[in-house]
């Protein structure tokens, strides 16, 4: 019985929550739940987990674009029906995992996955993303769906992953490298703890849409939204000559975060030249060896050169290569940078150290200045 | 295709899966409509997605409007409203609302379930999804307003599936795959996540908080779902007793019979495995020793960082007295800078019905709902009011585990009741002995 718009509350069901995960576990997983003994990465993208019972589950991990059509999902379902008894799973980093319970089923599955190509030549299901390599980039919505982005998401990720593809399918890094992208400071993707973070950033203060601001905005909310108190109430002349309640932005204090725009649609700040990308590095979330770390800004601006963002892909490739050549086994990017010292990080990567990289935001800034005479000379 | 997309077309080459090719594929499938689907939103919606995105690549500014409050009746979250600022040019995406669907734990699926979601989204939406959003939900990307109730009805009635959270709600909870496939899991992340999600449905769907609130569940300190960096309350598995050692397997690693780090480094020649260099010397607490035959761990000094276990998963196992640590207050930079989770409860058991954990959650929410300002994340409140206030509200005893080091300033806020005789004194009495 379908929904009846004239009687919307009739037979309504609410608050049933998600489906239970138990319905979706492949039998071999269900049978050995909580009884796994060890695992091994057999080759890039292929894992085996061995249970105490001796049962094994083989996983083939493939990359996905996160933005997925239902035709693509249906194709995955067909593969899972053919090889995996109708089960599959996704990872937090938008990879897809196909699981089988016998080693003999791995190769046919892998070949099937790798044989499927897009018209432009790209893999539909590239196998990889395990171990000390570069796995899928987690990212946000970007120009495809959001109202505040300073850069695209899917397009940048496609460009970067094309460039790093060989490191998705291999494991030559000193440790895993997690790359994330958020298309604005809101960081829906929480990129602030990634080995390499690609962050969309505006560089111009908001405009004031005088014609409508007094109608569409709660002015006190816009004022309160500004973290640097850059906004104050002001009277302005509307195009029709009448006075209106509006706001003025103290440009010196604006850090272009876009919070005011989130609160007030009459304060847009997007700009073709102003917007671009900040590169941050050295963050991690794992507690392994060293404590979790925030990422640090190492490049203050790269332009939105559509459609392939060459400056961004080059910058990331450079950082990855220098890290891969210089870091010790097991050393995450941030651990490496801290060991050699950040001044050496800039020397080795050849990245330009500019005044934009010295923190000037409130208290946290002070803790990042050097308070010792111990430092290294760089060329 | 309906629109020319010369810029986007350049994103079709290269080895990585192209979302442009994928959206084109959906556009073609809708144009052909071989199954005779009775599309409820324009059949050319995917053409218009590409059209508007191409225009965005030309302008380098988004074409999605700010604003648009939509939702389903009785819920304050789960649907994100979205309108295009060029609706005449791209009528298919004039509305392009998103629906967040609460994903199952560990993100395991049956194809039967996914097909149902696909059918629904083919008929009533754009056919484009995110698998998955950053918080974890299945994201159904783009439909028109009149479809929202219809989608919700079919989700609940035909698929038995609820929406996720958005707005000032409990957000969709998410977990690592935990015990289902990981030998490191110290508690059942999926069970706890599922239990709490169901327990707190009301908070997931009806905004009652100052701002968003996230639970994330990691089975061990490796933190595969990044709970420590992005959840207001993170649950990280840990153990209290000793790391279990299989000395024979240790010897096998040393002899090169087993691959270190489960084979994660096989892409290059790092030389023979050196247990001294790769394990003993890297242990951050220096609590391990290797005499050439026996591996010893002085467990009271171990901080359970996981390194040695990660390197030798067949030789070392987490202890048997397992539970979890609770950390609170992580968030991304907006507004006051990024915050990492801070340790609130060093160890708690995680066994159904999780009564103790729920008591803590409810105390925490009471405090935040009472004291938090509009749009203030829990982490910001803790920073503003201080950790001591939080402990007071939570009725927890202060422990040295909660801090990295004691304070470096002696500006201690004593309370009247903590000082002999209190704060109330008589100035006249004082003046009897001290001239003005
Ligand atoms: C026309 C009015 C508005 C519209 C259409 C709108 C729309 C949205 C949308 C679509 C999101 C992303 C959804 C999400 O991630 O959950 C969002 C996020 C947010 N909105 Fe609004 N909003 C409006 C007004 C407001 C107002 C008045 C406030 C606060 C007083 C507000 C506070 C927020 C906050 C704090 C977020 C942050 C993200 C989050 O918690 O997810 N919004 N808004
Ligand atoms: C209207 C524009 C917005 C859109 C389309 C949007 C979209 C999204 C999406 C799709 C997610 C992942 C959700 C999930 O998986 O459940 C997300 C998460 C998030 N959003 Fe937004 N959002 C918007 C606005 C905002 C705003 C205004 C803020 C902050 C003020 C914000 C902060 C976040 C954060 C911090 C997360 C979560 C990241 C995490 O889970 O670690 N978003 N958003
Ligand atoms: C048997 C299952 C798994 C094992 C044994 C495992 C092992 C590990 C290890 C050893 C780390 C180490 C961190 C470090 O060296 O700093 C880690 C971190 C991580 N893993 Fe896993 N993992 C497993 C499953 C997954 C899955 C399914 C995902 C999702 C794709 C995942 C995502 C992550 C993430 C996001 C991190 C955090 C990395 C960071 O610090 O930024 N893991 N995992
Ligand atoms: S990071 Fe910013 S621009 Fe990107 S989806 Fe989130 S709110 Fe939108
Ligand atoms: S962009 Fe941010 S800093 Fe600038 S005025 Fe708006 S809220 Fe304030
Ligand atoms: S967080 Fe720990 S238990 Fe969970 S998947 Fe990662 S390694 Fe396994
Ligand atoms: S878990 Fe970490 S701290 Fe504990 S013994 Fe192993 S390496 Fe050392």
């Amino acid at each position: 019985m379908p929904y009846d718009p004239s009687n919307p509350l009739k037979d309504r069901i609410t608050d049933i929550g998600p489906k239970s995960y138990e319905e979706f576990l492949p039998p071999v997983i269900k049978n050995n739940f909580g009884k796994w003994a060890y695992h091994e990465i057999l080759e890039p993208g292929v894992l085996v987990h061995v249970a105490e019972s001796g049962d094994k589950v083989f996983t083939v991990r493939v990359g996905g674009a996160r933005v997925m059509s239902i035709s693509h999902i249906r194709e995955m379902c067909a593969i899972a029906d053919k090889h995996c008894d109708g089960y599959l799973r996704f990872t937090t980093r938008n990879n897809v995992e196909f699981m089988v319970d016998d080693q003999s089923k791995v190769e046919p599955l892998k070949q099937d996955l790798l044989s499927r190509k897009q018209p432009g030549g790209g893999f539909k299901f590239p196998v990889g993303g395990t171990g000390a390599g570069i796995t899928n980039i987690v990212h946000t919505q970007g120009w495809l769906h959001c109202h505040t982005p300073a850069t695209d998401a899917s397009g940048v990720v496609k460009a970067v992953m094309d460039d790093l593809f060989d490191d998705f399918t291999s494991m030559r890094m000193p440790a895993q490298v997690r790359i994330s992208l958020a298309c604005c400071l809101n960081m829906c993707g929480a990129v602030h703890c990634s080995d390499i973070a690609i962050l969309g950033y505006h560089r111009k203060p908001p405009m004031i849409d005088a014609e409508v601001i007094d109608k569409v905005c709660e002015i006190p909310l816009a004022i309160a939204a500004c973290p640097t108190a850059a906004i104050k109430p002001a009277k302005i002349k509307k195009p029709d000559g009448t006075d209106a309640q509006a706001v003025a932005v103290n440009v010196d204090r604006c850090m272009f975060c876009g919070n005011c725009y989130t609160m007030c649609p009459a304060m847009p700040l997007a700009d073709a030249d102003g917007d671009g990308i900040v590169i941050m590095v050295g963050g991690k979330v794992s507690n392994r060896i060293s404590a979790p770390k925030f990422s640090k800004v190492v490049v203050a601006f790269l332009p939105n050169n559509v459609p392939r963002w060459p400056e961004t892909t080059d910058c990331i490739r450079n950082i990855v290569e220098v890290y891969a050549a210089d870091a010790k086994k097991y050393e995450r990017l941030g651990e490496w940078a801290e060991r050699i010292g950040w001044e050496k990080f800039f020397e080795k990567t050849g990245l330009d150290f500019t005044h934009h990289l010295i923190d000037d935001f409130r208290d946290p800034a002070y803790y990042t200045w050097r308070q010792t005479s111990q430092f290294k000379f760089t060329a | 295709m309906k629109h020319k997309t010369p810029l986007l077309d350049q994103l079709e080459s290269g080895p990585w899966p192209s979302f442009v090719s994928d959206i084109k594929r959906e556009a073609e499938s809708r144009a052909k409509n071989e199954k005779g689907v009775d599309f409820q939103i324009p059949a050319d919606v995917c053409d218009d997605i590409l059209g508007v995105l191409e225009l965005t690549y030309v302008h380098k500014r988004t074409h999605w409007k700010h604003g648009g409050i939509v939702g389903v009746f009785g819920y304050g979250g789960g649907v994100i409203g979205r309108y295009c600022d060029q609706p005449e040019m791209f009528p298919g995406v004039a509305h392009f609302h998103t629906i967040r669907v609460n994903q199952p734990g560990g993100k395991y699926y049956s194809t039967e379930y996914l097909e149902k979601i696909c059918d629904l989204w083919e008929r009533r939406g754009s056919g484009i999804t995110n698998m998955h959003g950053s918080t974890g939900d299945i994201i159904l990307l783009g439909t028109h307003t009149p479809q929202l109730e219809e989608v919700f009805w079919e989700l609940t009635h035909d698929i038995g599936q609820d929406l996720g959270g958005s707005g000032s709600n409990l957000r969709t909870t998410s977990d690592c795959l935990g015990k289902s496939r990981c030998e490191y899991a110290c508690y059942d992340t999926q069970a706890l996540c599922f239990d709490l999600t169901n327990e707190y449905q009301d908070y997931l769907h009806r905004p009652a908080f100052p701002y968003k609130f996230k639970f994330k569940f990691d089975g061990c300190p490796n933190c595969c779902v990044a709970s420590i960096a992005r959840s207001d309350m993170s649950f990280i598995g840990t153990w209290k007793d000793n790391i279990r050692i299989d000395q024979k397997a240790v010897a096998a690693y040393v002899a090169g019979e087993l691959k270190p780090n489960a084979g994660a480094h096989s892409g290059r020649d790092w030389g023979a495995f050196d247990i001294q260099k790769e394990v003993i010397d890297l242990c951050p607490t220096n609590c391990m020793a290797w005499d050439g035959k026996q591996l010893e761990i002085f467990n009271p000094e171990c901080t359970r960082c996981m390194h040695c276990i990660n390197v030798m998963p067949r030789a070392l196992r987490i202890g048997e007295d397992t539970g979890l640590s609770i950390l609170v207050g992580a968030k991304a930079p907006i507004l006051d800078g990024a915050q990492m989770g801070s340790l609130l409860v060093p160890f708690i058991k995680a066994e159904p019905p999780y009564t103790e954990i729920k008591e803590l959650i409810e105390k925490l929410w009471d405090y935040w709902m009472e004291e938090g300002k509009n749009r203030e994340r829990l982490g910001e409140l803790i920073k503003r009011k201080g950790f001591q206030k939080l402990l007071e509200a939570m009725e927890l005893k202060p422990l040295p585990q909660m801090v990295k080091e004691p304070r470096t300033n002696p500006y201690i806020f004593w309370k009247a009741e903590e000082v002999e005789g209190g704060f109330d004194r008589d100035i006249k009495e004082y003046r009897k002995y001290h001239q003005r």
Side-chain angles (χ1 to χ4, degrees):
Chain A
M1 182 210 33
Y3 173 67
D4 175 6
S6 65
N7 195 356
L9 293 188
K10 186 158 177 285
D11 297 329
R12 196 171 185 80
I13 303 177
T14 64
D15 300 286
I16 51 176
K19 285 277 201 186
S20 167
Y21 57 95
E22 288 181 344
E23 286 180 44
F24 299 143
L25 299 176
V28 54
I29 297 272
K30 197 169 210 163
N31 294 341
N32 296 286
F33 198 96
K35 301 206 174 63
W36 297 100
Y38 66 92
H39 74 284
E40 221 174 280
I41 304 170
L42 298 175
E43 58 182 283
V46 182
L47 301 148
V48 59
H49 286 78
V50 183
E52 281 157 11
S53 65
D55 285 356
K56 292 180 178 174
V57 59
F58 296 86
T59 302
V60 180
R61 185 179 289 175
V62 303
R66 186 181 103 138
V67 175
M68 291 178 192
S69 73
I70 55 168
S71 300
H72 187 72
I73 297 173
R74 285 195 163 124
E75 189 167 345
M76 290 183 315
C77 289
I79 296 168
D81 283 337
K82 186 163 150 211
H83 298 271
C84 315
D85 303 320
Y87 297 95
L88 70 166
R89 74 171 286 270
F90 292 78
T91 73
T92 18
R93 302 195 75 89
N94 310 316
N95 295 310
V96 189
E97 294 189 332
F98 295 93
M99 290 155 288
V100 292
D101 53 13
D102 194 283
Q103 186 145 22
S104 66
K105 300 178 183 171
V106 172
E107 209 46 40
L109 168 62
K110 225 183 94 188
Q111 291 318 322
D112 189 355
L113 289 164
L114 290 175
S115 71
R116 296 169 189 253
K117 295 277 191 80
Q118 291 180 321
F123 288 95
K124 283 179 179 166
F125 306 107
V127 174
T130 50
I134 299 182
T135 189
N136 208 338
I137 300 181
V138 288
H139 64 89
T140 49
Q141 302 289 16
W143 288 337
L144 195 74
H145 193 251
C146 192
H147 71 291
T148 59
T151 189
D152 193 22
S154 312
V156 185
V157 167
K158 163 74 174 146
V160 173
M161 283 311 288
D162 274 343
D163 192 57
L164 297 177
F165 190 75
D166 289 346
D167 286 309
F168 178 80
T169 57
S170 70
M171 304 190 288
R172 66 169 177 124
M173 293 290 135
Q176 77 266 52
V177 177
R178 304 286 192 220
I179 308 183
S180 314
L181 177 147
C183 31
C184 89
L185 261 190
N186 286 329
M187 289 200 191
C188 296
V191 305
H192 58 296
C193 293
S194 313
D195 294 280
I196 302 179
I198 309 168
L199 173 64
Y201 201 74
H202 303 287
R203 289 187 306 163
K204 296 190 186 181
M207 298 164 268
I208 312 282
D209 191 348
E211 213 168 327
V212 294
I213 187 163
D214 58 344
K215 291 204 195 66
V216 301
C217 287
E218 292 276 356
I219 297 206
L221 276 184
I223 293 172
C226 180
T228 63
I231 307 178
K232 59 176 192 235
K235 278 232 171 3
I236 52 164
K237 280 249 182 291
K238 290 194 175 196
D240 64 8
T242 56
D243 277 336
Q245 282 301 330
V247 296
V249 175
N250 178 345
V251 170
D252 288 344
R253 295 179 86 148
C254 178
M255 53 142 172
F256 325 111
C257 68
N259 258 313
C260 48
Y261 179 56
T262 298
M263 285 297 143
C264 171
M267 298 181 72
L269 68 169
D271 187 271
D273 307 313
D275 296 352
I277 282 172
V278 174
I279 302 287
M280 301 174 76
V281 308
K284 72 182 194 86
V285 295
S286 134
N287 294 277
R288 184 180 194 173
I289 303 182
S290 62
K293 300 178 203 305
F294 292 122
S295 318
K296 284 95 183 151
V297 177
V298 296
V299 179
F301 184 76
L302 295 171
N304 275 331
N305 268 339
V306 297
R308 281 205 162 261
W309 283 268
E311 295 82 359
T312 299
T313 55
D314 287 354
C315 174
I316 291 172
R317 159 66 63 161
N318 172 38
I319 295 170
V320 165
E321 291 300 342
V322 176
Y323 159 72
D326 204 62
K328 297 182 181 172
K329 194 176 176 187
Y330 306 114
E331 208 167 43
R332 291 287 292 264
L333 206 154
E335 293 170 327
W336 163 68
E338 282 172 14
R339 172 172 60 81
I340 63 173
W342 284 97
E343 64 270 44
K344 283 281 177 192
F345 170 89
F346 284 95
E347 184 178 62
K348 290 191 179 194
T349 54
L351 294 174
D352 202 17
F353 189 86
T354 70
H355 68 279
H356 291 122
L357 305 185
I358 297 178
D359 196 351
D360 51 6
F361 187 74
R362 299 194 185 152
D363 277 3
Y366 170 80
Y367 301 106
T368 62
W369 306 337
R370 194 184 302 262
Q371 283 123 14
T372 165
S373 61
Q374 301 174 353
F375 62 86
K376 294 179 183 174
F377 289 106
T378 50
Chain B
M1 299 296 297
K2 185 171 151 194
H3 308 282
K4 289 243 171 314
T5 55
L7 291 168
L8 291 181
D9 294 349
Q10 296 176 51
L11 287 169
E12 290 197 86
S13 57
W16 189 251
S18 167
F19 70 103
V20 175
S21 303
D22 192 28
I23 298 175
K24 283 189 180 172
R25 171 186 189 177
E26 197 59 33
E28 276 162 33
S29 150
R30 288 175 82 92
K32 281 199 207 123
N33 194 13
E34 279 169 353
K35 281 177 289 180
V37 177
D38 175 19
F39 293 123
Q40 300 294 299
I41 73 166
D44 58 1
V45 52
C46 292
D47 299 82
D48 280 350
I49 297 172
L50 289 172
V52 71
L53 191 60
E54 178 75 14
L55 187 67
T56 308
Y57 272 52
V58 173
H59 290 158
K60 301 192 201 173
R61 289 188 303 261
T62 191
H63 279 290
W64 299 108
K65 272 200 229 183
H66 182 299
I69 290 184
V70 291
V72 299
F73 188 83
Y75 275 24
V79 182
I80 316 289
R82 183 93 345 192
Y83 296 94
C84 181
D85 70 5
Q86 298 297 337
E88 294 81 13
M89 241 187 283
F90 309 106
V93 294
H95 313 193
F96 200 61
H97 311 318
T98 299
I99 293 175
R100 289 184 182 170
V101 178
N102 194 340
Q103 84 289 355
K107 301 197 184 80
Y108 287 89
Y109 293 100
S110 67
T111 54
E112 187 194 342
Y113 170 89
L114 282 178
E115 292 279 4
K116 282 189 201 161
I117 295 274
C118 290
D119 288 344
L120 166 66
W121 202 238
E122 181 164 41
R123 197 160 99 83
R124 298 198 175 276
S126 66
I128 302 297
T129 73
N130 287 164
M131 297 296 281
H132 297 74
S134 336
T135 302
D137 313 74
I138 301 171
I139 296 200
L140 303 178
L141 205 62
T143 191
H144 287 217
T145 309
Q147 295 306 313
L148 297 172
E149 290 293 348
E150 304 272 3
V151 171
F152 181 65
W153 179 276
E154 287 180 18
L155 269 176
T156 48
H157 285 79
D158 305 342
I159 311 185
Q161 168 68 58
D162 210 334
L163 298 186
S166 65
S168 289
N169 287 353
L170 174 62
R171 291 304 177 85
T172 309
T173 53
S174 81
D175 52 9
C176 78
L177 84 183
K179 283 187 184 283
S180 72
R181 210 191 62 198
C182 187
E183 70 271 24
Y184 300 157
C186 301
Y187 71 98
D188 189 343
T189 52
Q190 289 165 297
L192 179 56
C193 181
F194 188 63
D195 186 296
L196 295 183
T197 307
N198 284 316
E199 176 91 19
Y200 297 119
Q201 278 295 305
D202 199 32
Y203 292 93
L204 234 146
H205 294 131
R206 286 157 209 97
F209 293 146
Y211 201 1
K212 71 178 79 168
F213 195 94
K214 295 181 176 179
F215 290 144
K216 292 191 199 291
F217 305 87
D218 272 313
C220 84
N222 280 330
C223 277
C224 292
V225 291
S227 67
I228 201 166
R230 38 178 220 159
S231 52
D232 299 271
M233 197 167 187
S234 40
F235 299 84
I236 303 178
T238 196
W239 66 94
K240 264 191 145 163
D241 54 347
N242 297 344
I243 294 178
R244 287 172 278 169
I245 308 179
D246 174 348
Q247 299 287 358
K248 270 208 208 99
V250 175
Y253 278 105
V254 172
E257 290 152 23
L258 296 174
K259 287 186 273 180
N261 223 44
H265 289 83
S266 59
R268 128 177 180 201
D269 184 8
W270 290 94
F273 176 65
D274 180 344
I275 191 171
Q276 185 67 35
K277 199 169 111 205
E278 297 184 35
V279 182
I280 312 297
D281 294 350
L282 288 183
C283 168
T285 61
N286 286 318
C287 69
M288 307 184 90
W290 168 250
D291 63 4
K293 286 197 239 28
Q294 283 276 116
L295 178 71
E296 250 184 290
I297 301 179
F298 187 55
N299 282 282
E301 294 301 317
C302 166
T303 49
R304 302 167 312 285
C305 80
M306 295 295 297
H307 174 65
C308 57
I309 300 177
N310 288 336
V311 176
M312 305 190 292
R314 295 180 70 168
L316 301 179
R317 307 198 64 177
I318 58 165
E320 287 172 309
D321 183 8
T322 58
L324 55 84
S325 305
I326 299 178
L327 287 84
V328 291
K331 58 180 273 293
I334 293 277
L335 290 166
D336 221 20
Q339 281 179 248
M340 204 70 84
S342 300
L343 184 67
L344 182 67
V345 179
F347 187 85
I348 189 167
K349 282 279 181 193
E351 273 146 25
Y354 311 111
T355 314
E356 249 189 306
I357 291 178
K358 287 174 188 167
E359 280 168 7
L360 285 169
I361 291 170
E362 285 157 28
K363 272 190 215 160
L364 187 67
W365 282 349
D366 281 347
Y367 174 60
W368 183 48
M369 288 197 271
E370 185 69 29
E371 299 288 341
K373 297 197 265 194
N374 181 33
R375 278 184 53 106
E376 187 174 49
R377 286 286 284 270
L378 176 68
E380 289 159 334
L381 171 68
I382 299 173
K383 221 162 141 187
R384 177 163 64 85
K385 289 276 189 179
F387 205 78
Q388 297 193 21
K389 287 278 189 309
L390 173 71
L391 290 185
E392 223 173 274
M394 301 291 296
E395 300 172 83
L396 289 171
K397 207 168 111 27
L399 299 169
Q401 281 81 0
M402 292 169 182
V403 296
K404 199 161 64 184
E405 58 188 24
R407 64 196 306 155
T408 55
N409 64 69
Y411 306 149
I412 301 163
F413 292 95
W414 291 94
K415 294 196 191 85
E417 63 271 23
E418 290 176 329
V419 189
E420 296 76 1
F423 285 173
D424 282 336
R425 286 167 298 154
D426 184 357
I427 185 72
K428 289 209 184 82
E429 182 63 22
Y430 180 80
R431 285 292 167 225
K432 274 193 209 161
Y433 308 99
H434 303 274
Q435 297 177 13
R436 218 174 248 136

